[in-house]
Amino acid sequence: MRRIEIDPVTRIEGHARITLQLGDDGRVRDARFHVDQFRGFEKLAVGRPFHEMPGLMARTCGICPISHLVASAKAGDALLAVAIPEPAIRLRRILHLAQILQSHALSFFYLSAPDLLLGMDADPARRNLVGLYDEEPELVRGGIALRAFGQEIIARMAGKRVHPAWVVPGGVATPIDAETRDFLLAGVPGAIATVEQALASFRMRLVGFEAEIQHFANFPSLFLGLVDTNGELEHYEGRLRVIDPTGARIVEGFDPARYQELIAEADEPDSYLKAPYFRAFGFPDGIYRVGPLARLRLVTRCGTPRADAALEIFRGRDASAGQASFLYHEARLIEMLFALERIEELAGHAELLDPDVRAHAGPNRREGIGVAEAPRGTLIHHYRIDADGLVTAVNLIIATGHNALAMNRGVLQVARHFVDGERLQEGMLNRVEAVIRAFDPCLACSTHALGKMPLAIRLFDAQGRVVDELRRSSR
Amino acid sequence: MRPRLATLWLDGCSGCHMSLLDLDERLLEIIRDFELVYSPLLDVKEYPNAVDIALVEGAVSTEADRRRIQIVRERTRILVSFGDCAVTGNVPALRNRIGIDAVLAVYETPPTREVPMLLPVFPVHQVVAVDHWLPGCPPSPDAIFEVLRALLEQRAPAPSGVRFGS
Ligand code: SF4
């Protein structure tokens, strides 16, 4: 058995490694995705006051802190046992959609577009945002502007771009003013145009990615996520729906607070990332996917006109593509459209500026669960507190975690198809990384990982000798 | 010659890097004025030699981090401790209070193969020498921009006025 190591996987959020085991014929026998760093927020929180949780928990992730803030504050709402004011829900929704926009923009334009627009086999020294800017400056500027718009909405509403403390148990800290609303509304049309251009450009190039569509984590699995009461796309609340590979609903209208009846978690011997699975199907058959692709496969419709038009085209392709994870990229663009349309709709609400944005109470329950659809999928914060409001136990299920089994299977599928151990080429290994990029994992969330430093990619023989080595340019 | 810039993360939340990206259009000035030679945004697997400036996010919390930061130190002229986790240990260091075994109790069976060993968490300057500190959780884009401009122009950065934890 020989072994290939890709360390670290680059252009993803956080650090991870991939190892490939090769047989004597040079074909891939096994492949594993390892997350190397560990954070342990479940333990760090114990003993601290529950109202600290949103601010602390947001520090799990600088990319999607708003999702943690929201899920954590919702768990806090449950501990207070209050129904939060309608205007606060509206503001939380806008804030969360702004984050979906900026996070998807990061994934698509900053991390994956170099593969998608320059090509999987492009020169690795140029296959990045800087190289892309030289070739497609307008596209890069558009991506920067989209991310900036999402981040700036967050800064204007919540005080700063990364790690604001504005969402609190009971609602939000302060109402917003007319100037902020006008900023939101003014920015939407331009942002929609930019997303639609990117979507058109992505679709035009899809013909060049037949092999990737066929082999990038393309296999039957379950899909899980929240939908609203009409079965429409929903990121702030809703009920869990699970579909099987044929699209049949095997779980419908399920209260997310009962997530433990649905999902169990397995420990992995070689990664700090746990592997959740669908309990009824057992481990590892209960493999499921979450996130943008899952959501678009789950919903009856998006619920906004442009996103629904895009969804229709997407569905045609999705039906013929099997269960292709490559389409996560397209799903992300469609969700960006949806986020913008919904932000516009919410920001136009007559009571948007209503000052009644926070319910005040002490802790009235000992247990609270908050759930949201984060950019990468269903996010669950579950807290227990004592009579003084100090946290006694925490469980977190992180969006990226749900996809752990699917990412591992995907890495194996891609490696088997593309990697030839006898003739190792850089582009083969980039594809193994690119399947991970399609899932857009956020490892700072699930944990925070980083690879063993100086290795490039090495082939070992049965005696553990290095037989081949590939290094990417480090000028 | 443009200064060679590296950015990396140890045990942090990526938030400091997000704040770097929050330079928005000014990011284009940065990639014009600096040669970005190593970063999570690039497909460079090995930390290069002769780096002029490195922004290091996050605390040192595993054996892999420790080895990594030592290599970075050897190959870098100016090392910037980037954000509160790097500067003080911040959030990751909360686990020092309870100990490694206690945090690993989140697993029924903690992983033993492939993963690096956890260490007590240290801020970067307790492991290697640091040349500049850029506090904030995360540091604001303006503060990051000012430090990079100052290093480019070879002057002392203006005080950022950043409070810890904010
Ligand atoms: S300093 Fe704050 S923003 Fe930066 S990595 Fe640490 S927790 Fe994240």
Side-chain angles (χ1 to χ4, degrees):
Chain A
M1 284 281 261
R2 295 183 300 163
R3 176 182 153 104
I4 298 180
E5 190 159 23
I6 303 175
D7 177 13
V9 180
T10 43
R11 284 187 284 125
I12 61 169
E13 293 131 359
H15 269 261
R17 265 176 316 128
I18 294 169
T19 53
L20 309 179
Q21 304 290 339
L22 279 75
D24 295 332
D25 55 357
R27 306 306 300 172
V28 173
R29 290 283 155 75
D30 198 13
R32 295 285 297 166
F33 176 63
H34 311 276
V35 175
D36 283 357
Q37 207 148 8
F38 163 81
R39 310 202 74 197
F41 272 70
E42 291 109 318
K43 298 292 171 195
L44 303 186
V46 170
R48 308 191 79 93
F50 79 95
H51 54 77
E52 268 186 13
M53 288 305 109
L56 174 64
M57 288 299 173
R59 261 72 179 182
T60 48
C61 181
I63 297 158
C64 53
I66 304 300
S67 295
H68 288 282
L69 210 51
V70 163
S72 183
K74 286 175 73 180
D77 301 341
L79 295 171
L80 302 178
V82 294
I84 76 166
E86 277 296 321
I89 296 177
R90 225 169 276 128
L91 296 177
R92 283 183 180 183
R93 278 180 186 277
I94 296 175
L95 193 77
H96 195 217
L97 289 164
Q99 183 204 249
I100 297 224
L101 175 67
Q102 67 85 6
S103 172
H104 284 358
L106 172 70
S107 170
F108 187 83
F109 292 93
Y110 291 66
L111 303 178
S112 280
D115 291 331
L116 302 173
L117 301 172
L118 301 177
M120 295 283 170
D121 298 297
D123 175 4
R126 306 288 303 152
R127 197 178 53 211
N128 53 51
L129 190 73
V130 183
L132 188 62
Y133 181 63
D134 292 340
E135 305 269 328
E136 306 249 6
E138 282 323 301
L139 184 114
V140 170
R141 280 181 193 276
I144 289 177
L146 282 172
R147 183 178 174 282
F149 183 50
Q151 288 287 71
E152 199 50 31
I153 292 175
I154 293 168
R156 298 215 183 195
M157 293 180 75
K160 63 179 198 168
R161 285 179 167 207
V162 179
H163 298 326
W166 179 71
V167 184
V168 293
V172 297
T174 51
I176 65 166
D177 56 21
E179 202 184 312
T180 302
R181 176 197 57 202
D182 297 345
F183 172 82
L184 294 177
L185 290 170
V188 168
I192 286 180
T194 308
V195 179
E196 290 197 320
Q197 266 166 21
L199 189 57
S201 151
F202 175 77
R203 283 178 168 160
M204 259 167 45
R205 292 174 211 240
L206 265 177
V207 284
F209 289 99
E210 280 308 317
E212 284 78 8
I213 291 172
Q214 274 313 308
H215 301 284
F216 269 39
N218 189 341
F219 44 69
S221 78
L222 305 174
F223 292 86
L224 176 147
L226 299 176
V227 297
D228 81 356
T229 43
N230 301 317
E232 294 180 357
L233 192 55
E234 169 65 59
H235 299 89
Y236 177 76
E237 58 194 359
R239 295 267 165 165
L240 284 170
R241 176 180 281 181
V242 180
I243 57 171
D244 73 7
T246 69
R249 291 177 201 163
I250 59 170
V251 173
E252 176 68 5
F254 196 86
D255 179 359
R258 291 166 53 201
Y259 73 96
Q260 284 174 317
E261 296 167 35
L262 225 50
I263 300 165
E265 279 184 304
D267 294 334
E268 295 276 22
D270 58 357
S271 177
Y272 282 122
L273 185 57
K274 292 191 197 185
Y277 58 94
F278 187 68
R279 200 181 266 283
F281 288 17
F283 179 83
D285 293 342
I287 178 173
Y288 62 96
R289 282 176 266 182
V290 300
L293 175 69
R295 288 191 288 254
L296 292 195
R297 298 191 112 232
L298 285 163
V299 294
T300 311
R301 69 190 80 75
C302 291
T304 61
R306 286 168 196 270
D308 275 325
L311 179 64
E312 201 147 312
I313 300 173
F314 172 86
R315 287 222 156 125
R317 181 175 5 263
D318 187 36
S320 61
Q323 314 222 339
S325 296
F326 194 77
L327 297 186
Y328 265 105
H329 295 300
E330 186 171 355
R332 235 164 251 130
L333 289 166
I334 296 171
E335 282 205 324
M336 288 166 76
L337 271 184
F338 172 82
L340 287 160
E341 291 181 287
R342 258 295 138 76
I343 286 172
E344 188 170 41
E345 189 185 305
L346 287 161
H349 194 279
E351 278 150 36
L352 185 77
L353 309 181
D354 195 303
D356 181 18
V357 293
R358 184 170 185 177
H360 290 272
N364 290 308
R365 281 204 200 107
R366 293 294 180 84
E367 189 159 2
I369 295 175
V371 186
E373 279 292 322
R376 290 155 192 81
T378 314
L379 170 67
I380 301 167
H381 282 232
H382 183 177
Y383 309 145
R384 274 202 201 102
I385 57 172
D386 66 14
D388 299 323
L390 300 181
V391 172
T392 58
V394 172
N395 195 25
L396 300 175
I397 295 198
I398 303 291
T400 292
H402 296 286
N403 285 333
L405 283 174
M407 286 191 286
N408 264 309
R409 192 176 292 184
V411 165
L412 179 59
Q413 186 183 32
V414 172
R416 279 205 171 130
H417 185 78
F418 291 101
V419 175
D420 176 353
E422 300 295 314
R423 279 181 302 276
L424 202 55
Q425 279 172 23
E426 200 276 340
M428 297 175 185
L429 297 167
N430 185 42
R431 283 177 175 79
V432 181
E433 296 180 70
V435 70
I436 295 294
R437 288 177 203 129
F439 283 97
D440 186 29
C442 180
L443 306 173
C445 269
S446 51
T447 161
H448 183 92
L450 93 93
K452 285 182 245 154
M453 210 347 253
L455 288 178
I457 300 139
R458 285 183 189 160
L459 270 162
F460 301 89
D461 67 10
Q463 280 73 46
R465 287 181 306 233
V466 176
V467 294
D468 192 4
E469 181 167 310
L470 194 66
R471 285 172 180 272
R472 283 190 189 154
S473 63
S474 53
R475 286 156 292 168
Chain B
M1 263 221 334
R2 294 180 298 163
R4 288 159 59 83
L5 176 67
T7 81
L8 63 147
W9 44 39
L10 302 175
D11 192 4
C13 77
S14 314
C16 294
H17 270 76
M18 290 308 108
S19 207
L20 175 67
L21 297 187
D22 282 336
L23 287 170
D24 302 338
E25 285 268 323
R26 284 183 292 175
L27 199 58
L28 300 173
E29 275 177 55
I30 299 296
I31 61 178
R32 182 196 65 203
D33 296 341
F34 293 84
E35 186 190 359
L36 190 61
V37 292
Y38 185 83
S39 165
L41 288 175
L42 308 182
D43 288 342
V44 179
K45 303 297 183 188
E46 189 184 5
Y47 193 82
N49 282 312
V51 172
D52 292 302
I53 301 161
L55 301 180
V56 180
E57 170 188 319
V60 177
S61 89
T62 66
E63 192 49 44
D65 293 341
R66 206 171 58 86
R67 280 199 305 271
R68 191 157 185 238
I69 194 65
Q70 279 163 347
I71 289 168
V72 168
R73 179 66 278 183
E74 280 164 24
R75 300 181 186 175
T76 310
R77 203 157 55 81
I78 300 168
L79 196 156
V80 181
S81 209
F82 178 32
D84 285 353
C85 291
V87 173
T88 70
N90 197 28
V91 175
L94 288 174
R95 82 164 185 238
N96 290 347
R97 184 174 60 91
I98 41 185
I100 290 165
D101 289 343
V103 289
L104 279 175
V106 299
Y107 304 98
E108 259 165 53
T109 324
T112 48
R113 287 192 282 115
E114 294 286 349
V115 295
M117 200 175 70
L118 301 184
L119 299 177
V121 178
F122 288 108
V124 173
H125 67 269
Q126 290 194 1
V127 182
V128 296
V130 163
D131 303 294
H132 280 281
W133 282 266
L134 186 45
C137 182
S140 73
D142 287 343
I144 299 168
F145 194 69
E146 166 59 15
V147 163
L148 288 175
R149 296 305 313 174
L151 291 173
L152 188 69
E153 292 155 17
Q154 303 189 353
R155 59 175 171 80
S160 69
V162 173
R163 286 184 298 120
F164 282 94
S166 69

